DNA sequence: GACGGAGAGTGGTCGTACCAATTTTCAGTA
DNA sequence: TACTGAAAATTGGTACGACCACTCTCCGTC
């Protein structure tokens, strides 16, 4: 406040950057309990209120976790933590961005399916089978969405890249998924989806990366068609 | 505080969700000025301090922007806004996650290069040429890093998908890039990088999507080798 | 009409008091 | 001595009020 470093910034933003830097430099490590809010505020030279704002920001970013009465902890800093807010883009976007988002999925999901074809174990395959069955039996859209999500999540996990999982997890948020299912008004869409899931599943069973890649691309292609229609309706 | 919805949450978190919902439902629109902090707090039934924490969180998420003395605004909600914190994963990660991050780039950058081959205009090509020249003339690592980043950014922009641009923007953060360049200790690495950039550039000039895809994959493959060595050294 | 200054409004910061959840300490009992 | 339960202390969460720093609007003057 007395001294501005040329750029107009806030003490809270400075505290955010300082904590991030200390983490990046290894001074604060994954899972570590930090000093108390009060001590951090004193250490970094700002009020407790402003420090709380910084902590809230870092919490939302997945860097810190506040436990009421117990202290402030650095998260494990896993991609799942750090990309927690990634889903907001899927929740909020419409029109153009929705389409662009699906097009990114069209790049990533075939690659994930190909990697999964090489790596998925028998338990993973059994769980995929179970999700497909549960989807068939689904009583309502919400249940179907849940199993649809789980089907994709199992494949993505099997690909073995947590960054990829976190990104696809965000792109595949429940809210977004429910929008897609609600947007499917034509008859026969469930049957087609089931067939597409089955094609992916069979390629995984055969350990056929290219087959899985193509099947996933066809499947996402249908979602892309939907998103393109959404975009056109909004114009 | 008087009424908990089963799950233990905070009034601040509730306010965050409420604002997000109002945006997703179209009640608050891109670029709109929101009611004042004081009014929002009264409207949502919490204190101004807690409301400020919520606003800070939404600001860091790229959903809102606070202008000192002028009010709180909804951002344009573009992918570049909403994925602003995406870069934290690149800034903080090391070891395994660094490698996984590069592997995601290895999926996305070839796809971006292929799309760019179909779409880039003459101006884009000229700018790529200029960045390659500037990189050759770079006086120090920082300058080289800047032009390296810009080279990749031009290609990604030319692909025409803002979600993809934002993701690769985050994966390609300056901090991360500087780490890679600092990690390059062998001789000849600059020359190889230049050759790889040139191969990408030539494929773009030829409007050859597959050529661009392969050239980009080779280029990222080298970064992957570096990340793999980083991981092994840390074990 | 243009410019400058004053006042009002609004975000940013600080400090204090108190509440809500967790952890630690202490006393009592077996 | 060890264990348990209650009380005290600690720590995050919330609210409030005062004041500072910045922006915007309005009004007066040239």
């Amino acid at each position: 406040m007395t001294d501005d470093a040329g750029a107009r910034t806030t003490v809270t933003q400075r505290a955010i950057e300082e904590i991030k830097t200390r983490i990046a430099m290894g001074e604060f490590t994954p899972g570590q309990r930090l000093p108390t809010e009060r001590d951090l505020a004193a250490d970094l030279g700002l009020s407790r209120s402003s420090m709380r704002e910084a902590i809230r920001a870092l919490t939302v970013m997945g860097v810190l976790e506040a436990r009421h009465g117990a202290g402030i902890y650095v998260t494990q800093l896993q991609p799942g933590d750090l990309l927690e807010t990634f889903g907001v883009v899927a929740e909020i976007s419409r029109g153009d961005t929705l389409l662009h988002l699906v097009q990114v999925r069209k790049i990533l999901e075939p690659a994930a399916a190909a990697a999964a074809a090489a790596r998925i174990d028998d338990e993973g395959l059994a769980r995929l089978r179970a999700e497909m069955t549960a989807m068939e039996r689904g009583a309502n859209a919400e249940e179907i969405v849940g199993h649809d999500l789980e089907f994709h999540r199992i494949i993505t996990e099997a690909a073995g890249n947590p960054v990829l999982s976190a990104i696809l997890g965000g792109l595949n948020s429940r809210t977004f998924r429910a929008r897609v299912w609600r947007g499917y008004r034509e008859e026969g869409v469930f049957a087609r989806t089931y067939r597409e899931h089955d094609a992916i599943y069979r390629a995984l069973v055969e350990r056929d990366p290219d087959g899985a890649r193509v099947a996933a691309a066809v499947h996402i292609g249908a979602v892309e068609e939907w998103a393109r229609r959404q975009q056109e309706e909004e114009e």
Side-chain angles (χ1 to χ4, degrees), chain A residues 103-124:
Chain A
Q103 285 169 346
V104 172
R105 278 184 65 204
K106 205 171 75 163
I107 299 169
L108 292 175
E109 291 212 20
R119 295 159 168 251
I120 196 165
D121 58 17
D122 288 347
E123 188 197 348

Side-chain angles (χ1 to χ4, degrees), chain A residues 30-79:
Chain A
Q32 182 184 345
R33 183 180 181 282
L34 294 199
T36 65
E37 287 181 352
R38 292 166 174 94
D39 289 345
L40 280 173
D43 179 23
L44 299 187
L46 70 170
S47 72
R48 191 183 153 214
S49 301
S50 301
M51 190 70 233
R52 287 189 53 81
E53 285 186 34
I55 288 163
R56 177 69 66 171
L58 289 161
T59 297
V60 120
M61 283 161 77
V63 173
L64 299 184
E65 175 186 6
R67 298 181 200 153
H68 190 168
I72 312 279
Y73 294 80
V74 179
T75 66
Q76 294 298 328
L77 302 178
Q78 292 298 304

